[in-house]
Amino acid sequence: MAKIIVVTSGKGGVGKTTTSAAIGTGLAMQGHRTIIIDFDVGLRNLDLIMGCERRVVYDFVNVINGEASLSQAVIKDKRTDNLYILAASQTRDKDALTQEGVQKVLDELSTNYDFIVCDSPAGIEKGAQMALYFADEAIVVTNPEVSSVRDSDRILGILQSKSKRAEQGKEPIKEHLLITRYNPSRVNDGEMLSVSDVEDILAIPLLGVIPESEAVLKASNQGAPVILDSQATAGQAYSDAVQRLLGDEIGHRFLNVEKKGFFKRLLGASA
């Protein structure tokens, strides 16, 4: 049976889809058969970041409505073995996702995959609640700013009270904290919350800290998950996060301002 992981947040624009793409790709790169599902009906973006937008013929809602089979709708990633994508509909609204329909799709997928990564829309409306309802684990994505962290705290309350596990009195969803767009220099200047600040507020285990990086935007524009860019700090940080998700104990990087070496300081002074 597959492990279902929801990537969620209270606030939009924090990097959920970037994270879903990176984590899903990273799991597949480790040899795990993985599918990423876009739950953001009406505003789909996962197919763009995965670079498969032109290959979408049928979508998640088509499968739920019996208009297409999973084999017709699921797209195999061209870059990474073991990786598959199920796009959201661009033309339907969130009410197209029913609990019964979503469960049927997830049950069918669970027999063929090791991991199902659910890319949730932002907020607490129906699409977001549907994405987290069946989850075994949750990656809560937040930027290091007060409004984003506050909204993530609200999502934690929903995870703990409105999931299927909560309703059935089972072991709670395992929660992970992922901080994105982290800039140590801005933290030092008091413009951004520190990692410890965010941890103190949300009080869930830290999965990873993704540094602010132009490589993320570049990767999105190219339709390639940033984790494939092994030279980028963001790509390296996502790789570390995947290892932690799989149970490895790895220290956190990119938390402090990088000290310039002698030649870098020399070149900076002469510039």
Side-chain angles (χ1 to χ4, degrees):
M1 291 292 286
K3 182 172 287 185
I4 301 173
I5 301 172
V6 64
V7 178
T8 184
S9 76
K11 197 172 186 289
V14 298
K16 279 185 309 302
T17 302
T18 294
T19 296
S20 297
I23 295 292
T25 300
L27 290 169
M29 289 167 70
Q30 293 297 316
H32 302 284
R33 189 173 166 87
T34 303
I35 185 165
I36 315 171
I37 305 177
D38 191 345
F39 273 77
D40 202 354
V41 175
L43 292 170
R44 77 179 191 211
N45 283 311
L46 178 66
D47 55 312
L48 291 172
I49 288 181
M50 296 300 298
C52 63
E53 67 277 8
R54 294 182 181 179
R55 298 169 60 204
V56 177
V57 178
Y58 296 106
D59 57 53
F60 192 11
V61 174
N62 290 141
V63 177
I64 287 175
N65 291 342
E67 298 158 355
S69 66
L70 272 173
S71 60
Q72 290 176 303
V74 168
I75 298 168
K76 188 179 189 306
D77 189 76
K78 287 185 175 180
R79 297 184 192 88
T80 308
D81 289 339
N82 304 308
L83 183 60
Y84 300 80
I85 300 100
L86 180 56
S89 171
Q90 265 187 316
T91 57
R92 313 290 179 95
D93 60 28
K94 302 289 191 289
D95 291 333
L97 296 180
T98 64
Q99 193 166 295
E100 184 181 58
V102 172
Q103 177 157 18
K104 185 179 178 182
V105 172
L106 292 178
D107 286 347
E108 188 174 343
L109 290 173
S110 288
T111 62
N112 294 317
Y113 293 89
D114 301 315
F115 289 97
I116 300 172
V117 177
C118 303
D119 181 27
S120 170
I124 57 174
E125 43 73 38
K126 184 176 180 181
Q129 292 194 25
M130 202 65 69
L132 67 80
Y133 182 75
F134 297 99
D136 300 308
E137 301 191 23
I139 299 174
V140 180
V141 183
T142 187
N143 293 156
E145 56 181 59
V146 172
S147 63
S148 181
V149 174
R150 181 187 63 188
D151 289 347
S152 292
D153 197 30
R154 194 171 180 195
I155 285 293
L156 289 174
I158 293 171
L159 285 168
Q160 292 157 7
S161 62
K162 294 189 176 181
S163 67
K164 185 176 181 181
R165 284 175 170 269
E167 286 181 1
Q168 296 181 348
K170 292 184 176 179
E171 187 178 338
I173 291 175
K174 188 175 181 181
E175 298 159 342
H176 308 275
L177 172 62
L178 189 85
I179 302 173
T180 54
R181 295 179 184 157
Y182 193 75
N183 186 323
S185 296
R186 293 182 64 191
V187 172
N188 290 348
D189 292 340
E191 299 173 2
M192 190 176 272
L193 297 175
S194 68
V195 170
S196 58
D197 290 334
V198 179
E199 286 183 295
D200 288 345
I201 296 167
L202 297 180
I204 60 174
L206 182 64
L207 179 69
V209 179
I210 313 301
E212 201 167 41
S213 170
E214 291 180 4
V216 173
L217 180 60
K218 181 182 176 183
S220 296
N221 288 336
Q222 292 177 340
V226 71
I227 197 170
L228 296 175
D229 185 352
S230 60
Q231 300 302 309
T233 54
Q236 294 167 25
Y238 273 119
S239 293
D240 290 353
V242 169
Q243 292 297 121
R244 294 186 198 100
L245 191 63
L246 292 171
D248 293 343
E249 292 187 13
I250 298 175
H252 292 277
R253 299 188 276 173
F254 317 116
L255 304 188
N256 302 307
V257 178
E258 183 183 356
K259 292 182 178 179
K260 290 185 178 180
F262 173 76
F263 287 109
K264 280 188 177 181
R265 290 201 305 272
L266 188 65
L267 289 169
S270 61

